[in-house]
Amino acid sequence: MKNINVLLAADENYADQLQITIKTTLENLNKKTRVNFIVLSNNLSNSTKLALKKLAHGLHTVEYLDLDPSVFAFCPTNSHINKTAYYRILAPQLLAKRNIDRILYLDVDLLVRHDLTELYDAELNHNIVGAVIDTGQAFALNRLGVDPVVAANNIYFNSGILVIDIKKWNENHITEKTLNYIKHQSHLIIFHDQDALNAVLAGHVQMLHPKWNLQNSIVFRKHRPINEAYDQLINEAIKSPAIVHFTTHEKPWKTLSEHPYLDEYHEELNELEINRGVVNVISAANSAFVEALATSYISILENDSENQYNFYLLPDHLDQRDMLILGSVISRYDNASIKIVKVDEKLLENAVESDRILKSAYYRILAPELLPNINRAIYLDCDIIANTNLHDLWQTSLEGNVLAAVEDAGFHDRLEHMGITHDNSKYFNSGMMLIDLVSWRSQAVTQRVLDYINHNPEKLRFHDQDALNAILYDKWLHLHPKWNAQSNIVLDALVPPRTELLKLYAETRENPKLIHFCGHVKPWHAESKHPYTNVYLKYNKKLREPVRT
C-alpha cells in the first residue's frame, strides 16, 4: 500500500463540506493507496468526528491537530475567510516533528473527481510547493512588494490546494516569514493568507495543471488566459476537472446558482443528509391547529422508532399552553427533538389571505432561509397523518429538482389560469413537499416566490400553493399520490383528468402513506365521513394518554 498525507482545516461550521471533501477523495482513490487525513480544527463536534471515522471505514485514518486561534489574533478576516484559513501556515512546522516529508493541503469547499495519488506524487522540481494559477491575480506579485525580477518571472497561485515539501518549507522558515509578512505588510494584503503565501513563496512554486484546482474564475472564464499554452490547459481542466474548487463567497450550499458541477455537489449534500439517519420535518401552525400538529407528530414517531426526527416549527402566535402540548409529545420519544423558528411577518405583508388560508400558510416559503444549516427537509401541513415509516420518502432521489410533491387532486388547470404555459402542466399540492433546501436557496426561490405574490395577487386563488407552482412548475419531481393522499382521492370524489391516475388513485385509497385531510371538514369534526378518520382519532387518543415516566 502507498501512504499519502492529506491536510485539511475546518471548524464545525464547515463540517458538511469537510465530510464531502473526504468522501469524494476516497470514492476516487486508487485502491492501493491509503490516506492519513490530518484535520486542523478547534471545535469539531463528536458527531462530526464519528461521521469522519465512518467515512474512513478502517482502512484510512483521520487524526486531529487542535490549534490555538489566538496565534492568529493579528490576522485579518471577513465574512468569507475566518481564522481557520490561516491554519495551513502553521501545519508544516508542526508536522516536521512527525517525520512527514510531504503533505497535500486541501480546502474543504471542494468536489474531488480524480485519484489524488497522482497529485500527491507531482514533481516539484526542487520547489517548496506545487499549486495552480489564480487567473484573476496571475500578475499580482508586484502588488505584494515582491522583488521585480522575481515577480516578472513568476505567477500568482491559488492556495486552496497545495502540494507541500515539508522539509524545504521548514528549512526556508516559511511559517515564520508568512506570519511576519501578515503582521508587517497588512496594508498590501487583499486576499489574506493567500497573498502572504504568494509573497513569501514567490520563485519557489511549481505550477500544476489547472485541472487540479478548477476555480470558479476558470470555469466561467472571467479572465483571459495568460498565454496560448495556458488557454489549452484551461480548456482541458474545464472539460475534465480532477478537483472542482468552489472559490469566492458564492458557495453551492449558499447562493451559487449556476455552475456545471453544482448538481453534482448538491447530490453529495443530499446524500450526506440522508445518511445521517436524521429526518427533518418542517411545519407551521397557529393555536387552532396545535392539537392536529401534535397528533401528526405522534403518528410519525409511532411509525418509526429507529430514525431521529428533528421537528422544526414555525409558530403563528402560539401561547404557552400550545407549546406545552407540543413539548409534552416530543418528550415521550427518545428519537425526537423540536426547535421553534421565529418568523418575521413583515416579509409577508402583501400576502393574500382568506378565511381558510391564513398568513401562516406562507411560512413554508420562508423556511429554507430560516434554517440555513439543514440541507433537506419534509414540509408537512398540520392536517396530515403518517400511516407508515417516512424514511422511504426521505431517501427519495430528487433527480436534480428543487422538491418532490404530489399532483393536486382537483385543480389540474391552475397553471393555465395563471397564464403559465409549459409542456408539463401538472400542478402540485404544497401540503407535503420533500425539499432540497440547498437548491432552493441557491436558486433564490424564497425571494422569487415572494416577488410573485407581491406582483400578482389577483392570480392567487390558492395563495402560497399557486405562487410556489408559478415559480417551480418545471422544478418538481412527481411522486405517487400515496405520499399525499388528499381527501378528493380517498373519498373518490373526482374523475381523474388522465386515465393513468385511475390505478394510482386506487392504490392510494387502499394504502395511503400520508393521509392529508385537506378541505373544510377535518377528522376532528363530528360531520367527518373520511374513511381514515379513525386513524386520526387513534393517534389523537394517544395525545391524551398520561406521559410515561
Side-chain angles (χ1 to χ4, degrees):
M1 295 291 289
K2 177 179 179 61
N3 294 301
I4 68 174
N5 302 293
V6 175
L7 178 70
L8 309 110
D11 57 22
E12 191 61 24
N13 293 321
Y14 281 80
D16 286 356
Q17 293 71 33
L18 174 63
Q19 290 179 61
I20 288 173
T21 300
I22 290 178
K23 176 176 177 290
T24 56
T25 294
L26 295 178
E27 287 173 344
N28 291 281
L29 194 67
N30 187 315
K31 292 182 180 179
K32 295 182 179 180
T33 299
R34 180 188 292 119
V35 184
N36 177 38
F37 294 102
I38 302 170
V39 181
L40 303 166
S41 68
N42 65 343
N43 71 342
L44 284 180
S45 68
N46 288 333
S47 61
T48 296
K49 290 181 177 180
L50 187 63
L52 296 180
K53 183 179 180 181
K54 184 178 178 182
L55 283 174
H57 51 71
L59 176 63
H60 311 280
T61 58
V62 183
E63 57 178 306
Y64 303 91
L65 283 179
D66 293 330
L67 300 182
D68 181 1
S70 65
V71 174
F72 309 101
F74 59 89
C75 297
T77 62
N78 60 23
S79 59
H80 172 48
I81 298 177
N82 60 22
K83 289 287 193 289
T84 308
Y86 293 95
Y87 286 7
R88 75 192 96 183
I89 298 169
L90 200 60
Q93 193 178 68
L94 299 176
L95 295 174
K97 304 169 185 177
R98 310 265 305 271
N99 295 319
I100 295 176
D101 297 326
R102 176 177 284 213
I103 195 121
L104 171 59
Y105 171 80
L106 301 177
D107 273 355
V108 294
D109 51 352
L110 305 177
L111 186 67
V112 179
R113 306 181 75 251
H114 189 79
D115 177 22
L116 293 186
T117 311
E118 180 185 342
L119 175 60
Y120 186 85
D121 287 338
E123 176 57 61
L124 297 186
N125 294 314
H126 306 293
N127 288 294
I128 298 172
V129 302
V132 170
I133 186 175
D134 187 308
T135 56
Q137 297 293 315
F139 302 113
L141 294 180
N142 280 320
R143 170 175 64 79
L144 300 174
V146 174
D147 179 274
V149 175
V150 175
N153 291 285
N154 291 277
I155 53 180
Y156 183 105
F157 63 87
N158 180 279
S159 64
I161 296 163
L162 298 171
V163 182
I164 304 173
D165 184 317
I166 298 290
K167 184 178 180 181
K168 284 188 171 60
W169 178 291
N170 289 317
E171 284 177 349
N172 287 273
H173 308 289
I174 301 301
T175 295
E176 296 87 345
K177 290 178 180 177
T178 304
L179 292 175
N180 187 62
Y181 185 91
I182 294 170
K183 183 177 290 187
H184 298 288
Q185 305 291 335
S186 60
H187 61 288
L188 299 176
I189 291 176
I190 298 175
F191 298 106
H192 302 78
D193 60 310
Q194 182 168 284
D195 271 358
L197 285 169
N198 269 276
V200 171
L201 287 165
H204 301 284
V205 182
Q206 175 65 43
M207 302 309 294
L208 303 174
H209 194 296
K211 71 178 182 178
W212 292 113
N213 188 347
L214 184 68
Q215 303 144 58
N216 288 1
S217 59
I218 297 176
V219 170
F220 299 116
R221 300 180 184 273
K222 291 185 177 180
H223 311 281
R224 293 181 61 184
I226 60 172
N227 54 41
E228 289 185 8
Y230 257 101
D231 190 23
Q232 181 178 341
L233 293 177
I234 283 171
N235 288 333
E236 293 171 358
I238 293 171
K239 184 177 180 180
S240 184
I243 301 176
V244 178
H245 187 185
F246 297 99
T247 48
T248 77
H249 65 280
E250 290 191 285
K251 302 297 184 184
W253 56 92
K254 288 185 177 178
T255 57
L256 186 64
S257 58
E258 292 185 13
H259 193 288
Y261 296 96
L262 186 63
D263 287 346
E264 195 171 324
Y265 196 89
H266 284 178
E267 287 174 11
E268 292 291 344
L269 282 171
N270 272 302
E271 187 177 337
L272 196 65
E273 193 79 81
I274 290 169
N275 290 338
R276 283 181 176 140
V278 176
V279 180
N280 301 313
V281 178
I282 301 171
S283 297
N286 59 23
S287 287
F289 278 86
V290 162
E291 185 168 322
L293 180 60
T295 305
S296 180
Y297 286 171
I298 291 171
S299 72
I300 292 169
L301 295 167
E302 288 290 322
N303 278 288
D304 189 355
S305 60
E306 294 184 5
N307 294 291
Q308 171 72 26
Y309 282 84
N310 290 341
F311 295 102
Y312 296 90
L313 173 61
L314 284 64
D316 181 9
H317 305 96
L318 300 184
D319 59 27
Q320 187 175 2
R321 177 182 174 277
D322 298 329
M323 301 310 301
L324 285 172
I325 291 172
L326 297 170
S328 173
V329 167
I330 298 302
S331 67
R332 301 179 190 189
Y333 300 90
D334 294 332
N335 63 327
S337 71
I338 187 168
K339 180 178 180 180
I340 309 302
V341 184
K342 291 185 178 180
V343 178
D344 182 1
E345 284 198 351
K346 290 180 181 178
L347 296 170
L348 303 171
E349 58 187 0
N350 295 322
V352 180
E353 296 183 73
S354 70
D355 59 344
R356 193 165 66 85
I357 302 181
L358 304 177
K359 193 158 285 187
S360 58
Y362 293 94
Y363 285 8
R364 74 196 81 189
I365 298 167
L366 306 177
E369 301 298 335
L370 296 172
L371 297 165
N373 295 322
I374 61 174
N375 305 326
R376 168 178 281 227
I378 299 171
Y379 175 85
L380 294 178
D381 275 352
C382 299
D383 54 356
I384 290 179
I385 294 297
N387 199 36
T388 189
N389 185 316
L390 295 189
H391 210 248
D392 286 346
L393 173 63
W394 180 247
Q395 292 183 306
T396 301
S397 170
L398 294 178
E399 300 175 12
N401 291 288
V402 174
L403 60 83
V406 171
E407 187 176 1
D408 191 86
F411 297 96
H412 303 274
D413 55 359
R414 285 299 302 148
L415 290 182
E416 181 181 348
H417 282 291
M418 288 188 286
I420 297 170
T421 56
H422 190 260
D423 293 340
N424 176 16
S425 61
K426 293 178 182 177
Y427 171 92
F428 63 85
N429 181 282
S430 63
M432 189 293 297
M433 298 180 289
L434 174 63
I435 309 172
D436 178 346
L437 301 181
V438 180
S439 289
W440 179 297
R441 288 188 287 263
S442 72
Q443 296 183 40
V445 173
T446 293
Q447 190 57 53
R448 290 164 61 202
V449 172
L450 290 177
D451 287 345
Y452 189 88
I453 290 169
N454 293 335
H455 293 108
N456 300 278
E458 75 285 353
K459 295 182 180 180
L460 301 179
R461 179 180 177 185
F462 296 106
H463 305 69
D464 63 302
Q465 182 168 288
D466 277 354
L468 283 165
N469 273 274
I471 300 302
L472 298 172
Y473 61 87
D474 61 345
K475 295 290 185 182
W476 67 282
L477 177 72
H478 186 278
L479 294 177
H480 192 294
K482 66 187 177 182
W483 289 113
N484 186 350
Q486 300 152 66
S487 296
N488 277 342
I489 299 174
V490 176
L491 294 168
D492 201 7
L494 81 164
V495 177
R498 300 185 308 279
T499 55
E500 70 266 20
L501 288 174
L502 287 169
K503 180 174 182 291
L504 297 178
Y505 281 9
E507 293 170 350
T508 299
R509 283 190 287 274
E510 183 177 340
N511 185 24
K513 303 295 187 183
L514 285 169
I515 305 164
H516 189 179
F517 297 99
C518 45
H520 293 283
V521 180
K522 303 298 183 184
W524 54 90
H525 293 150
E527 64 268 32
S528 175
K529 299 186 183 304
H530 196 289
Y532 288 96
T533 294
N534 62 322
V535 176
Y536 175 86
L537 295 176
K538 176 183 73 173
Y539 292 119
N540 183 257
K541 183 179 179 181
K542 289 183 177 292
L543 181 60
R544 308 178 198 295
E545 293 177 355
V547 178
R548 296 190 298 268
T549 58

